[in-house]
Amino acid sequence: MKHANEIGRTVRTTCAYCGVGCGVLATPEGNGLVKISGDPNHPANYGRLCSKGSALGETLGLEERVLHPMIGGARADWENALDLVASRFTAAIEEHGPDSVAFYLSGQLLTEDYYVANKLMKGFIGSANIDTNSRLCMASSVAGHKRAFGSDTVPGTYEDLEKADLVVLTGSNLAWCHPVIFQRIAAAKAERPEMSIVVIDPRRTATCEIADMHLAIRADGDVALFSGLLNALAENGAIDCDYIGQHTEGFVDAMRESRSMRLRHVSERTGLGPEEIRAFYELFKRNKKVVTVYSQGVNQSASGTDKVNAIINCHLATGRIGRPGMGPFSVTGQPNAMGGREVGGLSNMLAAHMELGNAEDRARVKSFWNAPRIAEKSGFKAVELFEAAADGKIKALWIAGTNPVVSMPDADAVKRALEACPFVVVSDVIAETDTTPFADVLLPAAAWGEKNGTVTNSERRISRQRPFLPLPGEARPDWTIFADVARRMGFAGFDYRSASEVFDEHARLSGVENDGARDFDIGGLAGLSEAEYDLMAPVQWPLPAGRVARETRFFAKGGFYHGDRRARFVAVKPPKPEETADFTLNTGRVRDHWHTMTRTGLSARLSAHIAEPFAEIHPADAERLGIAAADLVEVASPQGSAVVRALITDRQRPGNVFVAMHWTSRYAPSARIGAVAHSATDRASGQPALKSTAATVKRFEAAWHGFAILTSRPDLDAIGRHAAYTATARTEGGWRLELAGANPLGDAKAFALALFGEPEADIVGYRDARAGTERFAVFFAEKLLGALYLSPQPVAVSRNWAVAQLGLTDGAVGSRAELLAGRGPADRPDPGPIVCSCFAVGVNQISALVVSGEAVSVEAVGKALNAGSNCGSCRSEIKGIIENVRVKVPG
Ligand SMILES: Nc1nc2c(c(=O)[nH]1)N[C@H]1C(S)=C(S)[C@@H](COP(=O)(O)OP(=O)(O)OC[C@H]3O[C@@H](n4cnc5c(=O)[nH]c(N)nc54)[C@H](O)[C@@H]3O)O[C@H]1N2
Ligand SMILES: Nc1nc2c(c(=O)[nH]1)N[C@H]1C(S)=C(S)[C@@H](COP(=O)(O)OP(=O)(O)OC[C@H]3O[C@@H](n4cnc5c(=O)[nH]c(N)nc54)[C@H](O)[C@@H]3O)O[C@H]1N2
Ligand code: SF4
Ligand SMILES: [Mo]
């Protein structure tokens, strides 16, 4: 693209984050500032953006970027780095064979990046040891789709969610994880209040704010629930015998298995009451237009693939698939999870939805690539891949666009695997992640806003990501790095001059000898000129060459991709309930952070929503274990342990504890929950069961607690010598830090001086001997450096008031007395934890407004405080606050 980085010129691109795939308008304004808004013409979002999308402009700074290749931690040039990578991979292959090397990639790479890497590994190196973080994310959906449909096809479109009369959301916290789809459903429901929404989740999440029914299911009760549903539909004559007869196989076998799932059994397995189960079944029976949306509560399970098929069974049995407002809908997580599946980026797939296990497919791809060899068998799946590395079987490993030391289960074992592997390459955009220290070679990749290519969203819509910033330092797009290494390894077929040439090859391959035999066909996008590719509008597949009128949904009239063109019911058995350990550890996401925080952690606004790692625990469990609000807790398993803040809430099920996956060594070293998660996987898909680790929970007995505000980033390694718990987050104007120690701190003043790193600082202190608290405010040359609050109990200062002092100019900063008190004068009340990140409105402000009676609706809160009136991501939380206040203040 020629026009990148023209100030004032608006570029249409696609959001860097979730699989909704929202269109974004980006306008560089100079000085590193970029104005971001939703693209009103993009069919995924029609102008909407969520809190993360709106804050994209705040995450483009270069301060944490890796801008030059590094070899062994020292700056190197590209020539040497690429030569080294090529020669070490070549040497390993010569000495130990193609299966001694591996790639571990990501659903955040662009299709073009992914295509080139997959071609290099499967067609030229000749191994299928290429797996991706999609194994942790979409593998059970892929396996379930293939079992049922004969192909990895998502049959429906986003519009179906608006047209449905019943939307079932199972294992999906859509309000926080796919916020713009959630808003589309919420808007449809506001227009048609008769539309029903059911949420099935062990936790009462923000998604429940628009739900008519919440089924607080026991972990992994889904197979039983949906098998019971199939049974209930059959018993009530609610199945579509014509559809079953004409388009499917295996109904009788599936029914034989499901018949035992009577209400009583379902109730036992799910922990739900018979009445609520019956009510859900009745809703499903009554509404023809049903979409069942599912995500990680389904996929990340030892019974994940069976859950997927249990859901699909119900849609096949009722013929509710591929028609407007109907169908099973697996929503993708990452911006290009779907594109990764198209290019066949997983270790058991080939390219363009062709099968590694099919000799004809292999021959077709080999000949199209003009490849010297082609992988003959599946490679290692993610968990196996790191196990193989730990066992010394992998001699060279290349990780790109993912941070496995945080995101893999049993994450400390991944560290050991990387230490054991003789040669590790990491391509990333950030210099210091939890994974980059293990890199023998660290390669600086181009980031969002700089790179050029395509991504495919949950509804199979291909959109362009276009650059609007110049490549910083020596950063390069991922596909060029893979192609450069391929050429250096002596392979022909990697002489692409542009992303558009790669895309063209990908599009052509999808159409080769296809003719409707394979679902993925974008032959109609082959042969685009560079300019046409630049201008390409968002478009859904299938898009075969030559056909104009086309159907964007699949399977309304059958036409599945098994040899006989029929779908398969899968007979599924509910898993036996686990022998109860103390707790089931469930992990997942929060609204304003993205995975391992390498980008959302750069935004003070996004970091304000939930500034600290936490464990959601039911009040009854907390009481039993003597855990009080704001205590720290230790969550442990045989794999490892984590220390996080207790969040006691009846939104949680008893016996279940939820910890978010986001915190890393960079932000909260004790809170890497991946180190606690077990690496058990689903047999059919190899996907780890990240939602159900047997764990224990106990109060962390802290000798002292602390809270600090600082103008510069705290050194967590150094502080960690005194504090077992540290958690930091960016704020406007600085950093906030939570800390606690298992052993007495000793000289608090010396600790404070070391914390602020300025021995000459002017420090004022205050000690309350009776309460055992100590407070310090630290200045240097009359400027506030920060403040530290220490207490034997969790520190009770007004966090948001304190944090705000860092952003103020000197004159406006609170007095020394106020700083030591940790709160401002009464006329400047504490806003409380931030709810609306767009306008920085806190929970106290909203509650006060509601208590005063000035606002009784989300709209009224928006009018008075602006909260919820921009991106809308916090609207369900505002609704929750209003309801909460109403309960507590009768009348
Ligand atoms: N804000 C934000 N949004 C994101 C991401 C992010 O990091 N941050 N990541 C993106 C990615 S890659 C993905 S994959 C998606 C994930 O999107 P989601 O799958 O919606 O998110 P999770 O929080 O992982 O899990 C969803 C829910 O599953 C529930 N659950 C746990 N066990 C069970 C069970 O046995 N049965 C049922 N029915 N439910 C269960 C959890 O309590 C949780 O609320 O989000 C995408 N969007
Ligand atoms: N406990 C627990 N663990 C989980 C999950 C869970 O629910 N619970 N969910 C799983 C799921 S669904 C997913 S998708 C994974 C996500 O886990 P990861 O993929 O490990 O998480 P990210 O933070 O998105 O990592 C992306 C990395 O790529 C870098 N990067 C960004 N842009 C580019 C680029 O253009 N090129 C390159 N080369 N690098 C780039 C980022 O800086 C970052 O280091 O986590 C999984 N792990
Ligand atoms: S919903 Fe939010 S994170 Fe997802 S693509 Fe849209 S703006 Fe980006
Ligand atoms: Mo994901």
Side-chain angles (χ1 to χ4, degrees):
M1 296 262 314
K2 295 161 214 75
H3 304 288
N5 196 33
E6 263 176 44
I7 289 170
R9 182 175 182 278
T10 298
V11 172
R12 286 203 137 78
T13 183
T14 312
C15 179
Y17 299 116
C18 84
V20 178
C22 296
V24 169
L25 300 179
T27 317
E29 296 182 317
N31 297 331
L33 299 178
V34 177
K35 186 172 155 245
I36 297 288
S37 59
D39 180 351
N41 297 324
H42 197 289
N45 57 319
Y46 297 107
R48 295 180 179 93
L49 289 180
C50 74
S51 47
K52 294 182 297 302
S54 313
L56 273 166
E58 292 160 37
T59 60
L60 300 171
L62 298 180
E63 66 274 19
E64 300 215 357
R65 289 289 294 273
V66 52
L67 295 173
H68 311 279
M70 312 275 277
I71 297 178
R75 185 169 167 178
D77 62 26
W78 272 108
E79 290 305 305
N80 285 323
L82 293 169
D83 282 343
L84 184 61
V85 174
S87 66
R88 291 295 298 259
F89 270 76
T90 304
I93 295 162
E94 276 170 7
E95 207 170 320
H96 305 281
D99 292 330
S100 69
V101 301
F103 294 166
Y104 184 62
L105 310 181
S106 165
Q108 293 168 69
L109 296 174
L110 302 179
T111 299
E112 292 74 3
D113 305 324
Y114 235 137
Y115 178 88
V116 173
N118 190 55
K119 177 176 174 181
L120 169 59
M121 184 54 89
K122 294 207 178 113
F124 289 77
I125 291 174
S127 167
N129 281 344
I130 169 170
D131 214 43
T132 99
N133 61 5
S134 280
R135 183 70 60 194
L136 318 180
C137 181
M138 305 313 303
S140 297
S141 277
V142 173
H145 287 154
K146 284 186 160 184
R147 290 204 305 202
F149 308 147
S151 59
D152 175 23
T153 316
V154 173
T157 69
Y158 291 161
E159 215 179 59
D160 294 329
L161 294 159
E162 294 161 329
K163 293 199 162 143
D165 293 322
L166 169 63
V167 177
V168 179
L169 298 158
T170 186
S172 154
N173 186 5
L174 208 69
W176 281 10
C177 295
H178 299 88
V180 166
I181 306 187
F182 177 80
Q183 288 174 28
R184 285 179 64 169
I185 298 175
K189 187 170 164 64
E191 219 164 87
R192 285 191 300 125
E194 65 278 15
M195 176 178 183
S196 301
I197 293 166
V198 176
V199 175
I200 305 166
D201 193 309
R203 303 185 301 140
R204 196 169 77 244
T205 60
T207 305
C208 296
E209 302 298 346
I210 62 163
D212 301 280
M213 188 188 286
H214 168 223
L215 302 178
I217 196 167
R218 175 179 295 155
D220 288 340
D222 307 72
V223 174
L225 185 67
F226 283 89
S227 287
L229 173 59
L230 183 65
N231 188 37
L233 291 167
E235 281 191 343
N236 289 294
I239 55 174
D240 183 339
C241 295
D242 289 345
Y243 192 89
I244 295 172
Q246 283 175 28
H247 302 305
T248 72
E249 291 288 334
F251 180 67
V252 173
D253 289 342
M255 275 312 297
R256 195 173 303 130
E257 208 53 75
S258 294
R259 199 148 281 144
S260 62
M261 278 293 118
R262 312 209 146 268
L263 221 45
R264 186 168 57 83
H265 298 114
V266 177
S267 175
E268 275 168 21
R269 292 291 173 95
T270 58
L272 301 168
E275 280 317 308
E276 50 185 346
I277 299 170
R278 202 196 314 269
F280 166 54
Y281 289 177
E282 183 57 31
L283 263 181
F284 199 103
K285 189 187 110 197
R286 199 160 10 101
N287 289 289
K288 234 182 132 39
K289 290 192 177 174
V290 188
V291 178
T292 307
V293 174
Y294 54 95
S295 185
Q296 300 315 336
V298 165
N299 291 336
Q300 287 172 342
S301 158
S303 56
T305 308
D306 282 351
K307 291 187 186 188
V308 170
N309 288 109
I311 293 166
I312 294 175
N313 282 349
C314 295
H315 282 269
L316 289 173
T318 48
R320 295 171 184 169
I321 187 164
R323 295 169 212 270
M326 302 182 205
F329 204 142
S330 152
V331 282
T332 51
Q334 298 174 90
N336 201 30
M338 191 68 100
R341 284 146 73 178
E342 291 160 11
V343 304
L346 289 161
S347 64
N348 53 331
M349 296 164 85
L350 197 49
H353 283 203
M354 282 182 263
E355 297 286 330
L356 203 53
N358 177 322
E360 258 178 62
D361 281 352
R362 286 200 305 271
R364 186 181 295 117
V365 175
K366 180 169 185 278
S367 120
F368 178 84
W369 279 343
N370 203 8
R373 51 185 84 83
I374 189 105
E376 304 272 331
K377 57 174 201 317
S378 292
F380 292 123
K381 301 184 169 90
V383 170
E384 302 164 344
L385 194 157
F386 287 99
E387 282 169 1
D391 291 346
K393 291 187 195 130
I394 302 292
K395 310 294 180 193
L397 171 63
W398 189 344
I399 297 166
T402 177
N403 191 1
V405 170
V406 181
S407 57
M408 281 286 293
D410 199 359
D412 286 342
V414 169
K415 280 191 184 175
R416 295 192 289 272
L418 294 179
E419 270 159 10
C421 184
F423 186 65
V424 177
V425 182
V426 176
S427 303
D428 205 295
V429 300
I430 299 294
E432 248 183 88
T433 73
D434 284 29
T435 303
T436 54
F438 295 90
D440 296 291
V441 179
L442 175 58
L443 300 174
W448 185 81
E450 300 151 13
K451 43 190 210 173
N452 187 21
T454 55
V455 290
T456 310
N457 74 3
S458 294
E459 59 165 358
R460 291 173 274 102
R461 192 179 298 280
I462 301 171
S463 298
R464 292 278 282 106
Q465 269 198 18
R466 298 185 177 89
F468 52 85
L469 295 170
L471 288 172
E474 295 177 17
R476 293 186 183 177
D478 288 289
W479 71 263
T480 64
I481 306 174
F482 285 113
D484 278 338
V485 168
R487 281 197 298 267
R488 281 174 162 75
M489 291 175 77
F491 298 132
F494 293 88
D495 292 323
Y496 308 104
R497 281 164 305 172
S498 65
S500 101
E501 284 189 4
V502 180
F503 183 80
D504 178 59
E505 188 178 305
H506 167 60
R508 280 189 288 120
L509 174 57
S510 75
V512 172
E513 299 170 300
N514 190 331
D515 220 10
R518 304 188 298 273
D519 62 339
F520 179 65
D521 188 342
I522 54 166
L525 295 172
L528 299 183
S529 68
E530 192 81 38
E532 285 167 328
Y533 176 76
D534 278 351
L535 289 174
M536 191 170 113
V539 60
Q540 254 173 321
W541 62 260
L543 193 63
R547 232 177 300 157
V548 182
R550 60 197 185 87
E551 176 53 72
T552 52
R553 296 181 180 87
F554 285 87
F555 310 142
K557 300 195 183 97
F560 294 92
Y561 293 93
H562 287 294
D564 57 8
R565 287 279 170 170
R566 284 165 172 269
R568 298 290 185 273
F569 283 91
V570 180
V572 290
K573 232 195 239 332
K576 290 232 157 28
E578 291 276 313
E579 285 305 312
T580 39
D582 270 359
F583 280 88
T584 301
L585 167 65
N586 173 8
T587 59
R589 293 156 169 79
V590 304
R591 191 189 79 192
D592 286 357
H593 275 305
W594 178 259
H595 297 159
T596 71
M597 288 193 195
T598 62
R599 287 170 296 158
T600 47
L602 301 174
S603 159
R605 199 150 58 106
L606 295 179
S607 302
H609 179 238
I610 295 180
E612 206 186 353
F614 63 93
E616 278 181 9
I617 304 169
H618 189 272
D621 287 332
E623 198 184 320
R624 179 168 57 85
L625 297 168
I627 297 165
D631 273 351
L632 291 169
V633 289
E634 184 177 347
V635 181
S637 74
Q639 292 71 243
S641 72
V643 177
V644 298
R645 189 74 63 192
L647 197 164
I648 300 168
T649 169
D650 68 359
R651 291 178 159 255
Q652 178 61 279
R653 259 183 80 89
N656 202 301
V657 55
F658 176 87
V659 178
M661 66 170 290
H662 306 292
W663 278 270
T664 69
S665 299
R666 296 284 288 151
Y667 291 99
S670 75
R672 250 174 69 246
I673 201 65
V676 184
H678 63 178
S679 56
T681 57
D682 177 273
R683 270 233 316 273
S685 68
Q687 178 155 356
L690 286 160
K691 299 280 188 262
S692 58
T693 300
T696 57
V697 176
K698 65 173 199 237
R699 185 170 186 271
F700 175 79
E701 303 298 339
W704 58 274
H705 293 261
F707 171 72
I709 52 169
L710 311 91
T711 46
S712 55
R713 185 171 194 152
D715 177 350
L716 299 189
D717 286 341
I719 303 163
R721 287 196 281 277
H722 306 277
Y725 175 72
T726 52
T728 191
R730 269 193 181 72
T731 69
E732 303 291 347
W735 293 81
R736 58 187 286 174
L737 173 68
E738 301 281 349
L739 56 173
N743 304 311
L745 184 57
D747 185 344
K749 188 170 175 192
F751 178 76
L753 281 171
L755 179 66
F756 296 99
E758 186 49 77
E760 304 291 304
D762 169 16
I763 184 162
V764 288
Y766 169 81
R767 181 203 300 240
D768 179 336
R770 198 171 43 88
T773 58
E774 261 185 286
R775 296 165 170 210
F776 302 94
V778 184
F779 295 83
F780 186 67
E782 291 305 305
K783 281 202 169 67
L784 176 66
L785 274 188
L788 171 67
Y789 306 89
L790 296 168
S791 163
Q793 277 81 42
V795 172
V797 299
S798 162
R799 302 288 197 274
N800 288 284
W801 181 85
V803 160
Q805 304 312 301
L806 292 169
L808 299 174
T809 47
D810 292 347
V813 173
S815 69
R816 292 181 179 213
E818 282 167 12
L819 274 163
L820 288 177
R823 67 184 130 77
D827 63 345
R828 269 190 280 146
D830 173 16
I834 297 302
V835 174
C836 167
S837 42
C838 294
F839 296 107
V841 182
V843 66
N844 294 353
Q845 291 167 278
I846 299 169
S847 303
L849 199 72
V850 180
V851 170
S852 72
E854 277 177 64
V856 291
S857 67
V858 177
E859 281 65 36
V861 169
K863 278 215 179 79
L865 298 171
N866 285 333
S869 64
N870 184 39
C871 80
S873 300
C874 62
R875 289 172 65 89
S876 48
E877 278 157 87
I878 297 175
K879 187 160 171 244
I881 295 166
I882 295 172
E883 269 153 26
N884 211 3
V885 171
R886 278 209 202 115
V887 174
K888 287 191 184 140
V889 189

